[in-house]
Amino acid sequence: NEYLLKEIGENPKNGYAHLYLAGIKLYDEALGDAWNHINLAIKNIPKKDKESYSTAWFISSKIHYAIGDTVTAFDNLAKAIAITPDETDLYELRGDWYYYQGQYEQSNKDYKKLMELDPSSVMGYMGLGRNANDQKDFETAIKYYSHVIKLASDYSSGYSFRAESYIGL
């Protein structure tokens, strides 16, 4: 943190330093500072550095979500996806956000895209199972959770979530 602030003092247009500080401030829940740094990161990171530029939009989306501005959060996450459409973390996050809003169809689309990009993704199957479970489609949920257990037998949530679905059934 100290070295990043020193770097910004010497090079105020260093978008990468602002990007790292935005992430730190978001983690510390200093959302105003995070917002300021992420805006400077977006402004100063070269667009040709797709990974970093996408990460900036990703962090911006998380900041907006944290302050309750879900419309901008979703818009910024869509920008990150447009820049790096093969980045699985982006679909996982958006799938979660749609889930929390009860938009299961949209959530399922993102989890399926996540699984298309990474067929061994435990989180994609967990998300689909959670969506099915919430919609009282317990048999489908059990199918997804059983697949999670096959993929990662040491991932205990697969067992506990499946147990909840069996109870629901």
Side-chain angles (χ1 to χ4, degrees):
N1 198 358
E2 173 187 339
Y3 292 110
L4 291 169
L5 290 172
K6 183 178 178 184
E7 172 61 25
I8 288 172
E10 294 172 9
N11 300 296
K13 291 186 177 188
N14 183 334
Y16 300 102
H18 285 291
L19 177 62
Y20 285 111
L21 276 170
I24 291 167
K25 296 299 182 180
L26 174 61
Y27 181 80
D28 290 343
E29 297 181 3
L31 299 177
D33 289 340
W35 190 335
N36 290 331
H37 285 295
I38 203 61
N39 287 333
L40 289 167
I42 290 169
K43 181 179 176 182
N44 291 296
I45 290 175
K47 290 178 178 65
K48 66 182 179 186
D49 181 355
K50 290 185 178 203
E51 185 175 313
S52 296
Y53 195 57
S54 174
T55 299
W57 284 109
F58 173 71
I59 291 174
S60 179
S61 72
K62 291 177 83 170
I63 293 166
H64 282 275
Y65 195 86
I67 63 172
D69 182 0
T70 56
V71 172
T72 303
F74 275 97
D75 286 346
N76 289 353
L77 192 53
K79 289 176 185 174
I81 289 170
I83 296 164
T84 53
D86 293 337
E87 180 58 49
T88 58
D89 291 345
L90 304 175
Y91 297 100
E92 181 182 338
L93 179 63
R94 193 170 67 180
D96 285 348
W97 287 353
Y98 279 132
Y99 163 78
Y100 292 125
Q101 293 190 343
Q103 296 183 35
Y104 300 114
E105 187 175 323
Q106 290 301 110
S107 179
N108 285 343
K109 284 181 185 178
D110 280 333
Y111 291 132
K112 287 177 181 177
K113 179 65 176 181
L114 168 60
M115 292 165 23
E116 175 187 313
L117 293 169
D118 179 7
S120 66
S121 171
V122 169
M123 299 317 294
Y125 289 101
M126 286 296 293
L128 288 170
R130 182 179 60 180
N131 288 348
N133 194 63
D134 276 17
Q135 296 175 84
K136 310 288 188 228
D137 184 358
F138 301 116
E139 290 178 1
T140 300
I142 289 166
K143 178 182 79 170
Y144 285 127
Y145 295 140
S146 294
H147 192 73
V148 166
I149 293 165
K150 288 177 188 173
L151 287 174
S153 62
D154 60 338
Y155 185 65
S156 63
S157 293
Y159 294 99
S160 62
F161 279 56
R162 186 173 68 176
E164 287 179 19
S165 295
Y166 275 122
I167 291 169
L169 194 60

